[in-house]
């Protein structure tokens, strides 16, 4: 029968392999969150700025979480290579922090899903009403970008522009150029000037503009994806327990191996 010290060494090697696999998965998710946060800062600012509530910090939370996870993985790898137990304990604490953060994010995602969609809906309606005013803090460009990117017009539909808005006070039966559908008649869109807007339809009844509202497009996306995102956060949060158990076991085995070698 092999000496107990060799049995402990073999078990340590097995746990190290499993913990290394866990850290690789942990790293991949951390890098994905980091990339998602950077993408959010660059691309989602147009949408977040239109919400009634301030969600501009969300991408930075993702960047911070992703960076923290990458740093945690580095500490875990160093602890495995050097067999340093207190580094393993530090790694365990950091993984536990990620576990708490992901669970909190997952639960918050389920709780605030409706609030997020309604906040965007009401915020967009307000910005459409104030579009063209002198004190909109430059948010007109975000409304234009939203309509051009999602191929939509207005909140509910293009009729939102025709009454009860700053735009409708100076424009009759006309919508902003960002509502113009290039695929229907590119020349109409090119000839129209942003300050003048574009006609809704031609003499032959052809609709020159996008006929779908922006609120429906954004809120349907949020409703369909928020559950998946929140569920994924909870599932990966639970996955952290594996890393916590493995790192604790490895720390115990390292101490036991040192004792047996004395």
């Amino acid at each position: 029968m092999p000496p107990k010290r060799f049995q402990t060494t073999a078990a340590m090697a097995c746990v190290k392999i499993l913990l290394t696999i866990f850290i690789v998965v942990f790293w991949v998710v951390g890098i994905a969150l980091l990339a998602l946060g950077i993408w959010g800062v660059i691309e989602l600012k147009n949408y977040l700025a239109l919400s009634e509530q301030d969600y501009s910090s969300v991408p930075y939370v993702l960047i911070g979480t992703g960076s923290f996870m990458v740093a945690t993985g580095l500490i875990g790898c160093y602890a495995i290579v050097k067999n340093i137990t207190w580094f393993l304990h530090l790694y365990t604490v950091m993984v536990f922090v990620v576990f708490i953060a992901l669970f909190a994010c997952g639960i918050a995602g389920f709780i605030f899903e409706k609030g997020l969609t309604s906040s965007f809906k009401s915020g967009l309606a307000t910005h459409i009403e104030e579009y063209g005013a002198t004190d909109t803090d430059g948010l007109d460009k975000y409304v234009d970008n939203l309509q051009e990117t999602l191929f939509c017009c207005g909140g509910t539909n293009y009729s939102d522009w025709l009454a009860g808005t700053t735009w409708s006070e100076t424009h009759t039966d006309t919508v902003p150029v960002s509502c113009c559908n290039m695929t229907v008649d590119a020349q109409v869109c090119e000839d129209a000037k942003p300050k003048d807007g574009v006609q809704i339809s031609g003499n032959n009844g052809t609709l020159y503009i996008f006929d779908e509202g922006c609120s429906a497009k954004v809120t349907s996306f949020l409703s369909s994806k928020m559950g998946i995102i929140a569920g994924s956060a909870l599932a990966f949060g639970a996955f952290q327990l594996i890393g916590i158990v493995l790192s604790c076991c490895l720390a115990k085995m390292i101490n036991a191996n040192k004792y047996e070698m004395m």
Side-chain angles (χ1 to χ4, degrees):
M1 185 175 180
K4 187 176 181 181
R5 182 166 64 85
F6 292 112
Q7 292 179 349
T8 303
T9 303
M12 275 179 57
C14 182
V15 172
K16 280 186 175 184
I17 292 172
L18 293 174
L19 187 56
T20 301
I21 293 172
F22 172 85
I23 290 174
V24 170
V25 175
F26 190 83
W27 253 341
V28 169
V29 175
I31 293 171
L33 288 177
L34 183 59
L36 183 62
I38 295 172
W39 175 78
V41 171
I42 298 172
E43 297 292 335
L44 292 185
K45 64 179 182 180
N46 298 333
Y47 307 105
L48 297 174
L50 295 174
S51 179
E52 193 173 52
Q53 300 293 326
D54 184 13
Y55 293 106
S56 59
S57 62
V58 172
Y60 295 100
V61 172
L62 293 176
I63 291 174
T65 303
S67 301
F68 184 81
M69 291 176 69
V70 171
T72 300
L74 289 172
I75 290 174
C77 284
Y78 184 80
I80 292 173
V81 172
K82 297 295 184 178
N83 289 334
I84 303 175
T85 54
W86 75 267
F87 252 69
L88 280 170
H89 293 315
L90 175 61
Y91 171 75
T92 302
V93 172
M94 294 177 76
V95 172
F96 183 74
V97 170
V98 174
F99 165 77
I100 296 297
L102 289 175
F103 254 77
C105 289
I107 294 171
F110 284 116
I111 294 175
F112 296 113
E113 176 189 339
K114 290 185 178 179
L116 182 61
T117 55
S118 63
S119 177
F120 176 82
K121 207 171 181 180
S122 58
L124 178 60
T126 299
H127 293 305
I128 288 175
E129 289 176 8
E130 299 175 351
Y131 184 95
T134 56
D135 57 348
T136 55
D137 297 327
L139 291 175
D140 289 359
K141 63 181 179 181
Y142 293 136
V143 175
D144 287 331
N145 183 272
L146 178 71
Q147 294 184 144
E148 291 171 353
T149 304
L150 298 184
F151 309 117
C152 56
C153 185
T156 304
N157 52 50
Y158 68 86
S159 64
D160 291 344
W161 290 106
L162 305 182
T165 64
T166 301
W167 174 268
S168 65
E169 293 174 2
T170 54
H171 301 78
T172 303
D173 294 331
T174 302
V175 296
V177 176
S178 56
C179 281
C180 195
N181 190 343
M182 290 285 291
T183 60
V184 173
D185 192 329
Q187 195 61 49
V188 170
C189 300
E190 291 171 0
D191 290 343
K193 298 178 181 179
K195 65 178 182 179
D196 296 329
V198 63
Q199 290 184 349
I200 294 171
S201 60
N203 295 329
N204 59 356
T206 301
L207 194 66
Y208 292 142
I209 62 174
F210 304 120
D211 58 355
E212 188 175 354
C214 297
S215 289
K217 283 202 168 187
V218 174
T219 55
S220 63
F221 172 81
L222 290 174
S223 298
S224 63
K225 301 301 181 184
M226 280 299 291
I228 297 175
I229 294 172
S232 299
L234 290 175
F236 190 70
F239 179 67
Q240 306 311 301
L241 296 175
I242 297 175
I244 292 172
V245 171
L246 288 173
S247 60
C248 289
C249 289
L250 182 58
K252 186 176 180 180
M253 288 177 178
I254 290 173
N255 286 331
N257 193 50
K258 288 178 180 178
Y259 178 76
E260 290 166 5
M261 291 177 66
M262 293 176 62

